[in-house]
Every structure is written in C-alpha cells, then in structure tokens.
Amino acid sequence: MDEMDLIVFHVGPVQDFIATARRSRDLWFGSWLLSELAKAAALEIVKQNGNDISCLVFPAPADLEQLRSFDFNVPNKVMALIKCDPAELGGAVKEAVLRRLGEICDDAYKKVKGGFNREVAEQQVKDFPEFFWASYSFNGDYKKARDFAEALLNARKVTRNFAPATWGSTASKCSLDGSRESVIPEDAYKMEESELREKYRLQRGERLCGVCLLKRHGRRGPQEYFFSTSHVAALPLLERLTEEHRPLVEKYIAKLKELGITEDALEKVWPQHPVFGPYDGHLLFEERLHEFFQEEEKLLEAKKALRAFLNEAFDGKKPLPYYALLLADGDHMGKVIDAQETPEKHRELSRAQSRFAREAREIVKEHQGSLIYSGGDDVLALVPLHTVLACARRLAETFRLRLANFKVKDGEKEMSPTLSVGIAVAHHLAPLSDVLELARTAEKAVKSVEGKNALAVALSKRSGVERTVKGTWGTLDRWLEWFIELHRTEAIPDGAAYELRDLASQLETSDDELKETLQKAAREEAKRILRRKKARRGAERIAEDVLKELETFLHESEFSFEKLKQLADELIIAREFAAAMDLAER
C-alpha cells in the first residue's frame, strides 16, 4: 500500500462569526460563507490528489459535481486520506480558501452603492479566517490515525497566532463585532435614513467593518434575499391571503411608494409569497414602518394605510410578534464516529449525514421556514410558530431513519444516533444574538435529557420571564399538541397555567423537613385550582376527561414542584403555538 497520511482541516471562526449577526440575513450569509470556504478546502484537497474524490472521508460527496453544487453544505472540518505532502497541501488549501473568500468578497462589495474604505475592508476580510490543519501517518489503523490527527488539531487550535493588525485606525469600532474598525465614512451618516438604507443596508446607529459589510451585502449563490425575523413572525397571518387579496396588496404597496419608499429600499424575500410577492412581512408591523419614514406626517399616513390593509384583508387581525429559531444537533455522534474503524465506514456515515442535510433543506421549506444551515448532523432555521413543532418532529424522524444502520454500544444497550431539537420562541425585534443564545439554552436543556432523542422549547416574551420545557420525543411533543388543542377549543382557560406557576413558586422550599408537607399541600391546591377554573370564556367547567388527564401530572408518587412548573410552562408555551395556528387558518 502506498504511504498515506490522514489530514484534518479546520476553517473558522464559527461561534464568534455567527454570534455577531444582527440581522437574520447576516446569520444566513455568514453560515453559508463558512461552508463555502470549507468547500473550497475540500475541492483543493481533491485537486491536489489527482482529482480523486474518494480521498475525502468527511464530507464524502458522490462526485465533484455534488461537491460544487450550491445546495451541498460542508461543515467547518474536512478530513481526507492523502498521498501528497501534507505541508505542501496545507499551503495550497489555505491559498484556495483565501482565493474563494476574495471572490465572494468582490461580488458583495460591488453591490455597495455608497463609498467605503475598500482597501481596509479587504484587508480585514483577509485577516479574519481561522485556518488550521494537522496530519498523522496512516498505516492501516484508521482509528489510531484519526485520534492522533484530531488531538494534534485541537492542540494547534489552542495555540494562538498574534499577527499585527494592518488595518488599525482611530475610526469608530464596528457595532457588531466590536473589534474591527468601521469602513463606512462618518459623512455617510448625514444622509436620510432611507438613503443610508438603500446605499449601505444600514440603520443610522450601525457601523460596519469589512467583514460585517461582506455579510450584509453578500449573495448566497443565486440567492440575494432572506427572510427577516419579522417576515417569519408574519407568516401565519400571510397564510390567510388568497388570490382575491392581490388588489389589496398592490394598493398598500403602491401607497407606501407614493409616500416615498423606492423599490430598491423595500426589503425582499426569497422564495416569494404567492400573493404578498417579494415583499418582506415587516411591512405588516407598525413598529417597523419608522425605518422608512422619518417625517411624522408620512409615518402616520403609512400606519393608516397599514391599518386599512389589515382591516380589509384580515378583518383587523394583526400579525403575532413571535417566531421560532430551530437548532438541531445529533445525539451520540462522537461515539458513532469513534465506532467507524475504517475510512470506508466513515465515508458511509458521511454520505448518510449529507443525505439528511439535503432532506432537511426540503423539510424546512415545506414547513414555510427558511434554512440558515444544514450540514452533517446540524440544522439551524427560522420557522413560523404554526409549523415549527411539525417541522422539528419531521427532522428528528428523518435523521433517525437515515442513520439507523450506525449502531454503537452504550453499556449493555445498543443505540443509533438520534436528533435532539431546541426551539427558541422570541419577539421579532429581539436582538438576534440574544435569540441565538436562547436557542443554545434550549439546546443545552435538551442535551441534559437522559438518553436524549428529545425536544426543548424556550420562550422569551418581552414582558415576562424566560420559560424552558424539555422532554423526549413522543412525550413532550404529544403533550404540547394536546395542550394546543385545548387552547384552540377553549377547553382550558389561559389563567390556569399562571396560577399553577405562582403556586409552585410560592410553596417551593429547600427545607427537607417542610418539603413533603408543602408538596402535598401544593398537589391538593393544584387540583382545586383546575377544578374551580372555567373553560370557554367562563361558560362551563373544565371537562372531567380533561381534568383527569391533567391530574396525571399531579400523581402523588411522582409529584414535585419542578413537575408542577413544567405543566404550567407547557400550557403557557402551547398558548403561543395555538394563537399562531388560529391565525393561520383562513
């Protein structure tokens, strides 16, 4: 056998780069950009190894056409078995990554209509990527070679480079990443906000460095537009639009243009809505209209036109202000990868992950969501509230089926990979960085469920506390569905959940001597609350079969304050989903 090396490349940064997104578009493009750079690395590895696609272990595309395709996402780690010199390959791959970055950057900067310090911007972009690699001789023992290569790579990643910044100046710092200087001239902020938006896609308080300007103006292959968080929140209401409403839509958009909004200044979405067209759903929120109109008189006229449109098209109904950010991650994947003892088995696993990633794109689309990233065993997407639970379940079922053949031992038990999903439900105007953190909170909660294969939902309302519920698939999702149905049929009053939550908070104690007594009192009081509450807007008592089912949460042997709070929070969270489903029905 010819002498070979196992080489592993890391392309980043990942978390910091994603966390600096202020708009959903920044997040969408930033995630794609990292995938494109990793894809450039994979393509160069293949090229340097005689165009032999089989040298790739992770990812493992079927052919070069698939690797080059727009829809093929590559994680930020690339692994390959190579016959060429690792040091020479490392240099060639780094050049290929920077070359691809330069192409994407050039394409984005051409679309910036206003002047900016391009020389500094390009240097900032060139300086931002993290690029590390490590290799280990492959002598037939694949697991040993992979373990050593991964250990070397991890050691290299924690060894920092301290290159001098070539773009430092006294200019204002970027308002997104806080470290690089803004490349937008201060004179630009003397423009009207509408002009600033049209030329730079900026709000008045935003200063952008070269990297963030790239994310703001970059085009993702043939796609230039992406759903805003406001558009995703508006989708349940937009579901009610039919072809009969098209004249009303055209009348409303025409009025906005008459008041001074240009076509270029209007945010677009892709795919377009069949009736609302290419226009972003943020036009349905009064609080977003001030971004287009600084003159009080025009703003009042725009709000009046919006109210007229909502009255005529939706009988006065307004869009709900909440949307979901879905974050999914495979369970036990480290153990599964460790169990692959040959390159061929690892490639088989990589192909199964790639197949799931492609299917995830379609699943999110079918549920009216907008995919930010899907690669390997990770999914990140914006999904409207009325479809997010169904979307999450379908993703979990598909992942389980695609990876069912990859089994590992967990003690005496044999298991296959499963998909756990964290869902953050947040206000459409909440900072995206905060919503990402909320989604990670849900992900951490779901990873704490024993055996995983679980779901967690974290709700953050502007006027309330954060609430998180978690449980396994087949349990939590079924309870939430039932609670949603209870809310939609008005079979349970909204106030019941809040009284149960207050009860748990008031009586919960860490005193072991009092705990048993107070838990017993809380259980009896919870039953009393449920039995005295009236459903259907106070018209009748809660049905006996519903009460009996709810009281299973209050079973003496399993009762705890934590379980009572979980019941209350599930009811509160289900109310948000129910409201969105009600709104979506024509």
Side-chain angles (χ1 to χ4, degrees):
M1 185 176 68
D2 293 334
E3 186 175 331
M4 302 179 77
D5 290 284
L6 181 69
I7 193 164
V8 188
F9 289 90
H10 163 90
V11 180
V14 179
Q15 294 301 334
D16 290 345
F17 187 62
I18 290 173
T20 56
R22 174 168 290 177
R23 297 185 183 181
S24 58
R25 192 188 187 287
D26 300 346
L27 183 61
W28 165 75
F29 180 78
S31 299
W32 176 82
L33 175 61
L34 291 177
S35 174
E36 281 298 294
L37 298 185
K39 194 185 295 185
L43 285 165
E44 188 64 22
I45 293 168
V46 173
K47 178 183 175 182
Q48 295 293 327
N49 284 272
N51 286 324
D52 180 9
I53 194 75
S54 68
C55 73
L56 292 176
V57 177
F58 183 72
D63 49 41
L64 280 172
E65 184 179 349
Q66 185 184 35
L67 183 56
R68 292 191 181 106
S69 71
F70 167 71
D71 289 338
F72 190 77
N73 281 330
V74 175
N76 70 309
K77 183 185 288 184
V78 180
M79 185 179 294
L81 282 169
I82 61 169
K83 295 178 181 179
C84 57
D85 179 75
E88 291 182 5
L89 178 62
V93 170
K94 184 175 183 179
E95 287 182 14
V97 168
L98 291 175
R99 188 164 55 247
R100 179 64 179 133
L101 179 60
E103 292 169 358
I104 295 170
C105 181
D106 186 58
D107 179 65
Y109 286 170
K110 285 177 181 175
K111 295 197 289 294
V112 182
K113 296 178 181 179
F116 66 100
N117 193 330
R118 181 155 181 164
E119 182 181 350
V120 169
E122 288 177 346
Q123 188 61 51
Q124 289 175 339
V125 169
K126 187 178 179 180
D127 287 350
F128 103 85
E130 288 178 353
F131 180 81
F132 306 118
W133 65 270
S135 69
Y136 193 81
S137 178
F138 175 63
N139 57 6
D141 189 339
Y142 178 66
K143 190 175 187 315
K144 178 182 177 182
R146 189 182 67 232
D147 287 347
F148 271 94
E150 292 275 17
L152 288 168
L153 181 67
N154 288 334
R156 176 63 186 91
K157 283 165 66 176
V158 298
T159 306
R160 296 287 302 275
N161 292 339
F162 291 97
T166 58
W167 36 263
S169 74
T170 58
S172 300
K173 293 287 187 183
C174 174
S175 55
L176 300 193
D177 72 19
S179 59
R180 289 178 285 260
E181 281 73 29
S182 171
V183 295
I184 310 295
E186 285 300 312
D187 285 350
Y189 296 94
K190 296 176 183 177
M191 300 177 183
E192 290 291 329
E193 191 147 345
S194 57
E195 187 180 3
L196 189 64
R197 184 188 189 92
E198 185 175 343
K199 289 188 174 182
Y200 294 100
R201 290 183 176 171
L202 289 178
Q203 293 181 15
R204 188 165 298 283
E206 287 185 315
R207 266 67 177 170
L208 297 187
C209 65
V211 176
C212 293
L213 189 67
L214 164 63
K215 286 195 284 186
R216 187 63 56 87
H217 289 265
R219 180 171 55 195
R220 186 167 165 167
Q223 289 183 240
E224 190 168 356
Y225 306 114
F226 189 70
F227 290 3
S228 71
T229 54
S230 298
H231 185 79
V232 182
L235 282 171
L237 184 67
L238 288 172
E239 185 84 346
R240 302 173 77 93
L241 285 177
T242 66
E243 194 60 34
E244 296 175 359
H245 296 106
R246 187 177 295 279
L248 298 176
V249 172
E250 292 173 350
K251 177 184 174 184
Y252 175 51
I253 298 298
K255 181 63 178 178
L256 295 180
K257 290 179 179 178
E258 179 188 316
L259 290 170
I261 298 183
T262 65
E263 184 69 28
D264 288 343
L266 285 168
E267 292 285 347
K268 306 296 197 307
V269 295
W270 184 262
Q272 296 185 18
H273 188 275
V275 180
F276 205 65
Y279 304 111
D280 194 290
H282 67 183
L283 295 177
L284 299 181
F285 293 92
E286 283 193 22
E287 60 267 35
R288 294 294 305 268
L289 291 178
H290 74 86
E291 296 168 20
F292 299 97
F293 302 102
Q294 280 67 60
E295 296 177 31
E296 188 65 25
E297 188 177 335
K298 287 187 176 182
L299 179 59
L300 290 173
E301 280 292 305
K303 288 181 177 181
K304 182 180 176 182
L306 172 56
R307 289 178 199 132
F309 171 66
L310 294 176
N311 282 328
E312 294 178 55
F314 307 112
D315 295 325
K317 291 182 174 65
K318 296 180 179 181
L320 297 172
Y322 294 95
Y323 73 100
L325 180 63
L326 181 153
L327 179 60
D329 184 46
D331 303 319
H332 319 299
M333 289 305 298
K335 291 180 180 179
V336 171
I337 291 171
D338 284 344
Q340 310 312 308
E341 296 182 349
T342 66
E344 291 73 24
K345 286 289 185 183
H346 198 162
R347 288 190 188 100
E348 190 179 331
L349 174 62
S350 299
R351 283 191 285 270
Q353 289 177 277
S354 293
R355 183 178 178 186
F356 166 71
R358 292 194 300 275
E359 289 179 299
R361 180 182 299 276
E362 294 306 312
I363 290 169
V364 171
K365 184 178 178 181
E366 286 170 17
H367 290 85
Q368 300 178 41
S370 207
L371 185 71
I372 294 169
Y373 177 77
S374 174
D377 59 323
D378 299 318
V379 179
L380 183 63
L382 299 175
V383 190
L385 288 191
H386 68 299
T387 63
V388 68
L389 290 177
C391 180
R393 183 191 291 115
R394 178 91 174 277
L395 287 169
E397 290 171 349
T398 303
F399 185 86
R400 181 175 52 79
L401 288 171
R402 293 293 163 255
L403 280 85
N405 294 330
F406 299 93
K407 300 184 185 298
V408 292
K409 285 281 187 181
D410 183 23
E412 294 299 313
K413 190 171 68 172
E414 192 176 58
M415 62 183 184
S416 298
T418 52
L419 191 76
S420 289
V421 182
I423 296 172
V425 178
H427 195 279
H428 72 114
L429 293 182
L432 193 55
S433 57
D434 292 351
V435 183
L436 274 166
E437 193 57 41
L438 185 67
R440 293 192 187 102
T441 297
E443 185 187 33
K444 287 176 185 173
V446 85
K447 290 298 184 182
S448 69
V449 175
E450 186 177 354
K452 303 182 180 67
N453 186 34
L455 166 71
V457 183
L459 169 67
S460 176
K461 298 198 74 169
R462 280 195 143 187
S463 57
V465 297
E466 289 183 8
R467 305 178 189 278
T468 302
V469 296
K470 62 183 180 180
T472 57
W473 283 111
T475 302
L476 177 59
D477 54 320
R478 297 303 178 191
W479 278 113
L480 287 174
E481 283 182 343
W482 186 56
F483 292 154
I484 289 167
E485 186 62 23
L486 292 182
H487 282 301
R488 296 192 69 192
T489 56
E490 298 184 344
I492 189 168
D494 294 347
Y498 293 98
E499 284 198 40
L500 292 175
R501 199 56 163 85
D502 288 344
L503 173 66
S505 299
Q506 289 168 10
L507 295 185
E508 188 174 23
T509 179
S510 57
D511 188 328
D512 290 336
E513 293 182 8
L514 289 173
K515 194 170 188 177
E516 187 177 344
T517 302
L518 290 176
Q519 278 193 168
K520 184 177 180 181
R523 189 169 68 89
E524 294 306 315
E525 179 62 15
K527 286 182 179 180
R528 192 185 71 79
I529 288 171
L530 289 172
R531 289 194 170 274
R532 71 175 171 76
K533 280 290 181 182
K534 290 191 175 182
R536 311 206 194 285
R537 305 185 186 185
E540 58 188 64
R541 293 187 181 280
I542 298 174
E544 191 62 32
D545 59 331
V546 173
L547 285 170
K548 285 182 178 178
E549 196 70 29
L550 289 171
E551 286 173 358
T552 60
F553 275 83
L554 310 176
H555 194 276
E556 186 172 7
S557 62
E558 299 175 0
F559 181 82
S560 67
F561 289 116
E562 197 58 42
K563 196 159 186 179
L564 182 57
K565 287 189 283 187
Q566 171 99 352
L567 169 60
D569 287 346
E570 285 178 19
L571 284 165
I572 291 167
I573 288 171
R575 183 70 192 90
E576 299 303 318
F577 293 131
M581 290 177 184
D582 284 342
L583 193 62
E585 286 198 354
R586 294 176 182 173

